[in-house]
Amino acid sequence: METKITRGPIVNCANLSMTFGKSCVLDKIDFTAKPGELHCIIGPNGGGKSTFVKSLLGQLRHEGSISLEWDNQPGRIGYVPQTIEVDKTVPLTVENFISLCVQNRPAFLGISKRVKKEIDSVLERVNMLHKKKLLFSELSGGERQRVLFAQALIPSPDLLILDEPMNSIDRTGAAIFSGIIDDLKKEGVTVIWVHHDLAQVREKADVVTCINRSIIFQGVPRDVMDEKHLLEIFTAQPVQEAI
Ligand SMILES: Nc1ncnc2c1ncn2[C@@H]1O[C@H](COP(=O)(O)OP(=O)(O)OP(=O)(O)O)[C@@H](O)[C@H]1O
Ligand SMILES: [Mg+2]
């Protein structure tokens, strides 16, 4: 019998709620993601997907519980944020940008040889090695997304959380990202992916959760992504209630 590799954690949220001021953005979300599985999160703009991801990462105060259950000791978490602002006046090269994300040593010491090698390797994977000396602010939208994706691969993550990494990405880039995610899944990594391409979610996700403040539906895509539910997504307005 084939044994499943489990490198990543089981991510569990129970009754997760979150408010900004008096506005309820997430309401009693229950959610589980498992090692070796791709759990996609979909929903309308403003529905609370990025807020949910940031809560998972411990960046926002929330109510309810979030637990990461690791098989052995806690592993590494890779995160690709939806957007990032970099001041145009800061002369930060692509290589330096990634080193800031992944290195934990004083900037004046520069980039260690080991990290330099790792940076080259991940930039190669997303076909951006030839741009490593360019300023991050000089990159196009899709190129930035590639670099944001690359930084999440150092060190190789056990839990990977992606917030719409395919925005502005062309077909070649999308195929590269998709291939990397497939490989990580096979290695038992837990993958949580906020995504708006419903056809791809249907094809690739093991589980899908649709969030619009609360959970609209959740389950195996072929079971839950029927026309009625998809219509609910496309016609949904962000729901936020003052509490
Ligand atoms: N720091 C903040 N302060 C106040 N309100 C916020 C803050 N961050 C997000 N919100 C609000 O919370 C709601 C959910 O935002 P969120 O970014 O989670 O949506 P989303 O589902 O990721 O949308 P999109 O598909 O556009 O990325 C939005 O109405 C947004 O205005
Ligand atoms: Mg978002």
Side-chain angles (χ1 to χ4, degrees), residues 64-79:
S65 70
I66 299 173
S67 65
L68 303 186
E69 297 162 23
W70 300 92
D71 236 8
N72 297 307
Q73 69 213 43
R76 293 149 310 189
I77 301 174
Y79 170 47

Side-chain angles (χ1 to χ4, degrees), residues 20 25 44-51 82 164 240:
F20 282 119
V25 177
N45 293 142
K49 303 178 297 296
S50 294
T51 304
Q82 185 168 9
E164 309 230 23
Q240 280 169 50

Side-chain angles (χ1 to χ4, degrees), residues 18-21 23-26 41-54 60 82 163-164 167 194 196 211-212 238 240:
M18 159 79 208
T19 54
F20 282 119
S23 185
C24 176
V25 177
L26 295 174
I41 300 170
I42 58 174
N45 293 142
K49 303 178 297 296
S50 294
T51 304
F52 175 70
V53 157
K54 287 178 195 161
L60 294 173
Q82 185 168 9
D163 193 352
E164 309 230 23
N167 283 355
V194 179
H196 63 261
I211 298 179
N212 189 15
Q240 280 169 50

Side-chain angles (χ1 to χ4, degrees), residues 4 19 62 69 71 90 107 118-119 136 141 151 184 192 199 211:
K4 206 172 164 191
T19 54
H62 54 265
E69 297 162 23
D71 236 8
V90 179
E118 286 181 320
I119 292 175
F136 187 81
Q151 62 73 33
L184 290 171
I192 298 171
I211 298 179

Side-chain angles (χ1 to χ4, degrees), residues 36-107:
E37 281 190 5
L38 169 60
H39 194 137
C40 283
I41 300 170
I42 58 174
N45 293 142
K49 303 178 297 296
S50 294
T51 304
F52 175 70
V53 157
K54 287 178 195 161
S55 300
L56 278 187
L57 290 161
Q59 293 180 354
L60 294 173
R61 269 166 64 128
H62 54 265
E63 286 171 30
S65 70
I66 299 173
S67 65
L68 303 186
E69 297 162 23
W70 300 92
D71 236 8
N72 297 307
Q73 69 213 43
R76 293 149 310 189
I77 301 174
Y79 170 47
V80 181
Q82 185 168 9
T83 51
I84 186 156
E85 298 302 327
V86 173
D87 190 333
K88 282 195 167 62
T89 59
V90 179
L92 189 65
T93 63
V94 167
E95 186 180 41
N96 283 330
F97 170 79
I98 299 187
S99 79
L100 282 179
C101 297
V102 305
Q103 256 194 168
N104 204 359
R105 69 181 201 162

